Amino acid sequence: MVLIADNNLQFILEFAILMQIAILLLFNLLRMSLSRVLFFSLILGIGITALFGFDMLALFIPFLGLHEFTHTYGPIAVMVFITAWAALSTMHEVGIGVIQIKRLVFLMMILVTIFGGLVHRDFLILWVLGILLGFFLISKSFRQKSFITLKRIISVVLISVVAFVSLEGLSRLLSMSVISPVLRIERILQNAIPSLQLVIHNTTLWGHVQGSAFWGSLDAGSSSGYIALPVSLILTFGLPYQIFFGTLVTKKDVIDYFVPGIYGFAFDFGYIVLVLLLLWCVFVICLGLKILVEYREKRERGNKTYLGREALLIGSLAGFISQAILGLFIINRAINGTALITFIFLSGMVVAHIILVKDR
């Protein structure tokens, strides 16, 4: 059948298109009131905090297993907490007392920072970037004094340094190299150059030089499995794609872990697909910002229809932009595998706002 994808790229495209359409339809069928958006954000926020807490405990209790939820749900966490904060800012603007709920949200954000930072250092980059972007968008939407000030930038830098030193000290005190940021940086530096050489010397317009991937002579020269949806999803549909798992994870790490996403997508799918991906990201961000301005204008004219949608758009934009920056320009793993589903989902949560309900 025509709709059955022949390789990873086709499967990703088909999955992305179906998810975008599904989110668009569902999003515009549901009533996005401000109270409903805030309620679900708080529920999801509690769930994410508990999930990250469990992930952190797994570092110290071996039989729990290592799950690494931060890669998958890190951008979702940004979306949820920024959405909640934007909704609370809207309520505060109309005189509703929300100080107690703000304290709860702030407490959960601190816990998420600790839990997620212990599990993955790259999560801290995503988290700090997403929160700063979110607060910046909130301040612009509500015409508040800019959240980003020199004092706050210095505070973030100092907190980052303290967190780095604390993690390294804790890793040495407990003899747990898995949480050592220094060891992680050394590993990346040691392997980044060979990984970049592999990509740069073998990437073509539509993939890479045939045989340069791990599969050797069996390599098709494109969609070799370095960039793919989760293995479980591929196996569920019984698709005969090349899959990295088990002992092959170390081979996938050459692309997945040691280079930014722009190199991973370029190597597996070619420069053409990379350019199209970057254009799509720019389109989603520009569209989201334009609609956010429209929401603000309607709110300032007294239209309260879009308050919930506005808060959700702010959160979705913060999550999407932070994941795009981390995944495409810092570490490919943040936008690959299960995290790729999250990225597609967040883009859908932004694009879904393109259909506006007519004013009553």
Side-chain angles (χ1 to χ4, degrees), residues 45-58:
I46 294 171
I48 287 174
T49 304
L51 195 66
F52 282 18
F54 174 81
D55 211 13
M56 184 271 295
L57 287 176

Side-chain angles (χ1 to χ4, degrees), residues 274-351:
L274 173 63
V275 170
L276 293 175
L277 173 62
L278 293 174
L279 289 175
W280 171 253
C281 291
V282 172
F283 167 75
V284 172
I285 294 170
C286 292
L287 176 67
L289 292 174
K290 183 178 185 303
I291 296 176
L292 197 56
V293 171
E294 292 186 26
Y295 282 159
R296 183 183 65 188
E297 292 175 350
K298 291 178 182 296
R299 171 168 45 82
E300 290 176 344
R301 290 199 299 265
N303 188 337
K304 299 186 182 346
T305 305
Y306 303 98
L307 297 181
R309 293 167 66 105
E310 182 181 13
L312 189 56
L313 178 56
I314 292 174
S316 301
L317 263 177
F320 178 81
I321 296 173
S322 58
Q323 186 181 11
I325 293 174
L326 178 67
L328 292 174
F329 302 104
I330 299 178
I331 178 170
N332 182 65
R333 185 168 293 181
I335 198 175
N336 196 10
T338 310
L340 183 56
I341 293 181
T342 300
F343 188 70
I344 295 170
F345 169 77
L346 287 174
S347 71
M349 290 297 292
V350 175
V351 175

Side-chain angles (χ1 to χ4, degrees), residues 42-195:
L42 292 175
I43 295 298
L44 288 173
I46 294 171
I48 287 174
T49 304
L51 195 66
F52 282 18
F54 174 81
D55 211 13
M56 184 271 295
L57 287 176
L59 292 174
F60 303 94
I61 307 176
F63 69 82
L64 292 178
L66 188 60
H67 305 280
E68 300 184 349
F69 293 123
T70 50
H71 281 311
T72 305
Y73 302 112
I76 300 294
V78 172
M79 181 193 77
V80 166
F81 285 103
I82 291 300
T83 296
W85 203 269
L88 292 171
S89 298
T90 304
M91 293 180 174
H92 177 73
E93 190 179 61
V94 297
I96 300 175
V98 292
I99 187 64
Q100 297 301 326
I101 303 179
K102 274 193 172 184
R103 287 174 179 170
L104 172 63
V105 172
F106 189 68
L107 174 61
M108 289 193 292
M109 290 171 68
I110 293 175
L111 292 175
V112 166
T113 304
I114 297 172
F115 298 156
L118 282 171
V119 176
H120 273 297
R121 268 57 67 202
D122 53 86
F123 168 77
L124 287 177
I125 302 174
L126 170 83
W127 182 246
V128 172
L129 183 61
I131 295 302
L132 290 177
L133 279 170
F135 282 146
F136 176 76
L137 291 173
I138 290 172
S139 65
K140 289 300 181 182
S141 292
F142 294 95
R143 301 187 187 278
Q144 300 170 349
K145 185 179 179 180
S146 179
F147 173 81
I148 301 177
T149 62
L150 180 61
K151 182 179 179 180
R152 284 172 176 159
I153 292 175
I154 294 174
S155 298
V156 169
V157 172
L158 290 176
I159 292 172
S160 300
V161 172
V162 171
F164 183 94
V165 174
S166 300
L167 273 175
E168 185 59 29
L170 186 63
S171 70
R172 297 188 180 187
L173 180 64
L174 300 177
S175 298
M176 294 182 62
S177 59
V178 69
I179 63 174
S180 170
V182 171
L183 185 63
R184 191 63 61 90
I185 292 173
E186 289 177 350
R187 186 184 173 207
I188 291 175
L189 292 177
Q190 182 181 358
N191 293 276
I193 301 295
S195 299

